[in-house]
Amino acid sequence: MQWIKQHLLSAPHFYRLSTRLLPWISVITAILLIYGVIGGLFIAPADYQQGDGFRIIYVHVPSALLAMAIYSFMALCAVGVLVLRLKLASLALINSARIGVWFTFLALITGSLWGKPMWGTYWIWDARLTSMLVLLFLYIGIIALNDAIAERITREKSVALLALAGFINIPIIHYSVVWWSTLHQGSTITKLHPSIASSMLAPLLAMLAGFLGLFALLLILRMGAELQQQVTHD
Amino acid sequence: MTEWLHLSMGGYGGYVWPAYSVTAVVLAANVVFAYKRFSVSKPKEHGQ
């Protein structure tokens, strides 16, 4: 474990590895996003009930899934901070929050743009929408807490504790459509047999992979910049 | 032309295009900001 901490999870190793990976991740992400956008907007057939309005799912679903996946990753980082005392985990946690907040914002905005033509309203206080709004506030709270505490160790521990406590919201978001009667439809792709035609599914999976690549790219860039700043200050 | 470009989106264009536009702007701004910060912080190599 000590070897992993000193080598694989060390700041210099991360910096070297990430700068080597950056061009590859950038190219693969760009290809996936271009295919996903073209496939989602022009190639996938219109939905038999929702018409072309359903095309919003190609930006809404990946944003929402990423918003939850990034928070889950942050909870994992919080364990790394509190239990393993990894410096890199703390850096990954706060930078993930700064990225995740935007994916959550996008999930809410694109969701309301989908809701208006489908449900007749931009917003309703239903379980899925409200729990997603709570997630946005959690992200903002974590960023604000990080900015409010000057002392490093107290800051890192407080942020990790809040991230870990807020993780309870993730299963609530996921199962909200099962536990409560909501306007929001059930899962489309997060089950063994997706309830979507393969011609519609392919661009959606490409967008999902592209958004994941974008998160990796943004995290590497943000962490790399911060690590370099720390080296300069030291 | 509008139909060929599929701009009307079967009457849903007013919702589909803003959803894609706001996503593109937010994500592009994130990438540009992150790249700029990374480039500024990058250590200069010898001889450059």
Side-chain angles (χ1 to χ4, degrees), chain A residues 15 19 26 41-42 50 52-53 55-56 58-59 102 106 110 113 116-117 214 218 221-222 225 228-229, chain B residues 5-6 9-10 12 15-20 22-23 26-27 30-31 33-35 37-38 41-43:
Chain A
Y15 195 83
T19 43
S26 307
L41 279 175
F42 306 109
Q50 301 181 12
D52 285 306
R55 296 184 194 282
I56 293 175
Y58 294 103
V59 283
W102 288 109
L106 285 176
T110 55
L113 283 165
K116 180 64 179 166
L214 207 56
L218 289 170
L221 288 170
R222 281 176 167 275
Q228 202 47 48
Q229 268 177 354
Chain B
L5 280 172
H6 207 42
M9 285 283 163
Y12 294 104
Y15 303 102
V16 174
W17 293 113
Y20 277 75
V22 73
T23 304
V26 165
L27 295 182
N30 262 282
V31 171
F33 172 77
Y35 257 117
R37 254 192 89 194
F38 185 77
S41 70
K42 214 171 168 180

